[in-house]
Protein backbone atom coordinates (compact mmCIF):
# COMPACT_ATOMS: atom_id res chain seq x y z
CA UNK A 1 0.00 0.00 0.00
CA UNK A 2 1.45 3.38 -0.99
CA UNK A 3 2.33 5.90 1.68
CA UNK A 4 0.53 9.24 1.89
CA UNK A 5 3.58 10.90 0.35
CA UNK A 6 3.60 8.49 -2.62
CA UNK A 7 -0.16 8.92 -3.10
CA UNK A 8 0.20 12.70 -3.02
CA UNK A 9 3.04 12.63 -5.57
CA UNK A 10 0.98 10.39 -7.86
CA UNK A 11 -2.03 12.69 -7.54
CA UNK A 12 0.09 15.78 -8.15
CA UNK A 13 1.71 14.15 -11.17
CA UNK A 14 -1.70 13.29 -12.61
CA UNK A 15 -2.92 16.83 -11.97
CA UNK A 16 0.16 18.26 -13.68
CA UNK A 17 -0.43 16.01 -16.69
CA UNK A 18 -3.95 17.44 -16.99
CA UNK A 19 -3.22 21.14 -16.47
CA UNK A 20 -0.41 23.65 -15.99
CA UNK A 21 1.26 23.84 -12.58
CA UNK A 22 -0.24 27.22 -11.65
CA UNK A 23 -3.72 25.68 -12.06
CA UNK A 24 -2.96 22.68 -9.84
CA UNK A 25 -4.75 23.20 -6.53
CA UNK A 26 -3.54 21.67 -3.29
CA UNK A 27 -7.06 20.79 -2.18
CA UNK A 28 -7.62 18.85 -5.41
CA UNK A 29 -4.32 16.98 -5.02
CA UNK A 30 -5.18 16.03 -1.43
CA UNK A 31 -8.66 14.86 -2.43
CA UNK A 32 -7.32 12.80 -5.32
CA UNK A 33 -4.79 11.17 -2.98
CA UNK A 34 -7.50 10.45 -0.42
CA UNK A 35 -5.83 12.46 2.35
CA UNK A 36 -6.54 15.72 4.11
CA UNK A 37 -5.06 18.97 2.92
CA UNK A 38 -3.28 19.19 6.27
CA UNK A 39 -1.52 15.88 5.49
CA UNK A 40 -0.34 17.36 2.19
CA UNK A 41 1.03 20.42 3.98
CA UNK A 42 2.64 18.22 6.65
CA UNK A 43 4.44 16.23 3.94
CA UNK A 44 5.53 19.07 1.65
CA UNK A 45 5.03 22.35 3.57
CA UNK A 46 3.25 23.85 0.57
CA UNK A 47 2.95 23.87 -3.18
CA UNK A 48 6.60 24.80 -3.71
CA UNK A 49 7.74 21.80 -1.67
CA UNK A 50 5.34 19.55 -3.57
CA UNK A 51 6.73 20.88 -6.85
CA UNK A 52 10.32 20.26 -5.74
CA UNK A 53 9.38 16.70 -4.77
CA UNK A 54 7.81 16.13 -8.20
CA UNK A 55 10.98 17.37 -9.89
CA UNK A 56 13.17 15.10 -7.73
CA UNK A 57 10.83 12.17 -8.44
CA UNK A 58 11.19 12.63 -12.19
CA UNK A 59 14.97 12.93 -11.88
CA UNK A 60 15.05 9.64 -9.98
CA UNK A 61 12.66 8.07 -12.53
CA UNK A 62 15.00 9.06 -15.37
CA UNK A 63 18.13 7.77 -13.61
CA UNK A 64 16.37 4.51 -12.72
CA UNK A 65 15.73 4.06 -16.45
CA UNK A 66 19.41 4.71 -17.15
CA UNK A 67 20.27 2.02 -14.60
CA UNK A 68 17.95 -0.44 -16.37
CA UNK A 69 19.43 0.40 -19.79
CA UNK A 70 22.99 -0.01 -18.56
CA UNK A 71 22.12 -3.30 -16.84
CA UNK A 72 20.55 -4.77 -19.97
CA UNK A 73 22.33 -7.61 -21.68
CA UNK A 74 24.45 -6.97 -24.70
CA UNK A 75 27.65 -5.34 -25.76
CA UNK A 76 28.56 -1.92 -24.35
CA UNK A 77 27.50 -0.24 -27.61
CA UNK A 78 24.04 -1.81 -27.35
CA UNK A 79 23.69 -0.62 -23.78
CA UNK A 80 24.75 2.89 -24.79
CA UNK A 81 22.10 2.80 -27.52
CA UNK A 82 19.56 1.75 -24.89
CA UNK A 83 20.54 4.76 -22.75
CA UNK A 84 20.12 7.07 -25.76
CA UNK A 85 16.74 5.57 -26.60
CA UNK A 86 15.61 5.87 -22.97
CA UNK A 87 16.78 9.50 -22.78
CA UNK A 88 14.82 10.52 -25.86
CA UNK A 89 11.74 8.54 -24.85
CA UNK A 90 11.79 9.93 -21.29
CA UNK A 91 12.15 13.48 -22.59
CA UNK A 92 9.21 13.16 -24.93
CA UNK A 93 6.97 11.27 -22.51
CA UNK A 94 7.29 13.46 -19.43
CA UNK A 95 7.48 17.25 -19.54
CA UNK A 96 9.28 17.44 -16.18
CA UNK A 97 11.91 14.95 -17.34
CA UNK A 98 12.33 16.94 -20.55
CA UNK A 99 12.81 20.17 -18.61
CA UNK A 100 15.30 18.51 -16.28
CA UNK A 101 17.26 17.06 -19.18
CA UNK A 102 17.31 20.19 -21.32
CA UNK A 103 17.17 22.99 -18.76
CA UNK A 104 14.21 24.48 -20.67
CA UNK A 105 11.60 25.41 -18.04
CA UNK A 106 8.34 27.22 -18.56
CA UNK A 107 5.57 28.54 -16.35
CA UNK A 108 3.51 25.38 -16.80
CA UNK A 109 5.90 23.31 -14.68
CA UNK A 110 6.97 23.47 -11.05
CA UNK A 111 10.26 25.27 -10.60
CA UNK A 112 13.10 23.01 -9.44
CA UNK A 113 15.05 23.72 -6.30
CA UNK A 114 18.02 25.98 -6.81
CA UNK A 115 16.32 28.15 -9.44
CA UNK A 116 15.75 31.19 -7.27
CA UNK A 117 12.90 29.74 -5.22
CA UNK A 118 14.57 28.42 -2.08
CA UNK A 119 18.22 29.32 -1.68
CA UNK A 120 20.29 26.58 -0.15
CA UNK A 121 18.60 23.69 -1.94
CA UNK A 122 20.81 22.01 -4.51
CA UNK A 123 20.07 22.78 -8.13
CA UNK A 124 18.82 19.93 -10.27
CA UNK A 125 19.15 20.06 -14.02
CA UNK A 126 21.02 18.76 -17.05
CA UNK A 127 24.50 18.91 -15.50
CA UNK A 128 23.41 16.94 -12.43
CA UNK A 129 21.59 14.31 -14.50
CA UNK A 130 24.52 13.93 -16.90
CA UNK A 131 26.84 13.57 -13.91
CA UNK A 132 24.53 10.83 -12.61
CA UNK A 133 24.59 9.05 -15.97
CA UNK A 134 28.36 9.27 -16.14
CA UNK A 135 28.77 7.87 -12.61
CA UNK A 136 26.46 4.98 -13.43
CA UNK A 137 28.26 4.25 -16.69
CA UNK A 138 31.61 4.34 -14.91
CA UNK A 139 30.33 1.83 -12.36
CA UNK A 140 29.03 -0.49 -15.09
CA UNK A 141 31.83 -0.25 -17.64
CA UNK A 142 34.61 0.28 -15.13
CA UNK A 143 36.64 2.29 -17.61
CA UNK A 144 36.92 6.04 -18.01
CA UNK A 145 36.43 5.68 -21.77
CA UNK A 146 33.06 3.92 -21.35
CA UNK A 147 31.76 6.67 -19.09
CA UNK A 148 32.91 9.34 -21.56
CA UNK A 149 31.16 7.56 -24.43
CA UNK A 150 27.98 7.27 -22.40
CA UNK A 151 28.08 10.96 -21.52
CA UNK A 152 28.63 11.86 -25.17
CA UNK A 153 25.73 9.64 -26.24
CA UNK A 154 23.39 11.28 -23.72
CA UNK A 155 24.51 14.78 -24.72
CA UNK A 156 23.76 13.94 -28.35
CA UNK A 157 20.34 12.57 -27.36
CA UNK A 158 19.64 15.81 -25.51
CA UNK A 159 20.29 17.76 -28.69
CA UNK A 160 17.43 15.83 -30.27
CA UNK A 161 15.14 16.86 -27.41
CA UNK A 162 16.09 20.52 -27.76
CA UNK A 163 15.87 20.62 -31.56
CA UNK A 164 13.84 17.65 -32.82
CA UNK A 165 14.05 16.87 -36.51
CA UNK A 166 10.30 16.37 -36.75
CA UNK A 167 7.17 17.89 -35.31
CA UNK A 168 6.31 16.68 -31.79
CA UNK A 169 6.70 12.96 -31.58
CA UNK A 170 9.72 10.75 -31.49
CA UNK A 171 9.06 8.00 -34.00
CA UNK A 172 11.87 9.20 -36.27
CA UNK A 173 14.86 8.80 -33.98
CA UNK A 174 13.43 5.95 -31.91
CA UNK A 175 12.42 4.13 -35.07
CA UNK A 176 15.93 4.58 -36.44
CA UNK A 177 17.48 3.34 -33.20
CA UNK A 178 15.16 0.35 -33.11
CA UNK A 179 15.76 -0.51 -36.75
CA UNK A 180 19.55 -0.32 -36.49
CA UNK A 181 19.92 -1.86 -33.06
CA UNK A 182 21.05 -5.50 -32.92
CA UNK A 183 18.35 -5.88 -30.27
CA UNK A 184 15.62 -4.77 -32.69
CA UNK A 185 14.64 -8.32 -33.58
CA UNK A 186 14.31 -9.21 -29.90
CA UNK A 187 11.52 -6.69 -29.27
Amino acid sequence: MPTARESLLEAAGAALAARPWPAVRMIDVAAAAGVSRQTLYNEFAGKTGLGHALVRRDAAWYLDGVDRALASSGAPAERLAAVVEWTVRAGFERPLARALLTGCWNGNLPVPAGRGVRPGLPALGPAELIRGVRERADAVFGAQEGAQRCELAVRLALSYLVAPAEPPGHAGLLGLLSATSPRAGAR
Side-chain angles (χ1 to χ4, degrees):
M1 176 174 236
T3 66
R5 184 178 188 84
E6 292 166 345
S7 296
L8 285 163
L9 286 170
E10 285 300 316
L16 181 60
R19 56 191 163 279
W21 184 245
V24 172
R25 296 176 356 144
M26 298 294 274
I27 193 163
D28 297 333
V29 171
V35 301
S36 70
R37 194 169 62 174
Q38 186 60 50
T39 299
L40 189 153
Y41 281 94
N42 289 344
E43 285 292 330
F44 300 104
K47 190 171 181 179
T48 299
L50 177 60
H52 291 174
L54 280 174
V55 170
R56 285 189 303 275
R57 182 182 78 154
D58 264 35
W61 173 79
Y62 168 72
L63 290 172
D64 287 346
V66 169
D67 286 336
R68 285 190 303 277
L70 289 171
S72 63
S73 62
E78 292 173 348
R79 291 189 271 172
L80 290 179
V83 171
V84 167
E85 186 175 345
W86 167 248
T87 298
V88 173
R89 180 170 284 126
F92 278 114
E93 287 179 4
R94 292 179 60 161
L96 269 179
R98 182 184 182 105
L100 278 163
L101 287 163
T102 63
C104 299
W105 294 89
N106 64 42
N108 292 328
L109 299 172
V111 178
R115 292 186 65 104
V117 176
R118 282 180 55 195
L121 289 177
L124 190 56
E128 292 74 27
L129 289 182
I130 289 171
R131 186 177 310 113
V133 169
R134 186 180 176 100
E135 289 168 357
R136 285 160 170 75
D138 191 39
V140 168
F141 298 127
Q144 185 71 10
E145 186 176 320
Q148 288 173 338
R149 287 182 178 166
C150 192
E151 180 179 342
L152 176 61
V154 168
R155 287 181 182 279
L156 290 171
L158 295 182
S159 71
Y160 188 80
L161 291 175
V162 172
E166 303 175 9
H170 56 284
L173 179 63
L174 293 179
L176 176 65
L177 286 171
S178 296
T180 59
S181 171
R183 299 179 305 134
R187 291 182 191 202

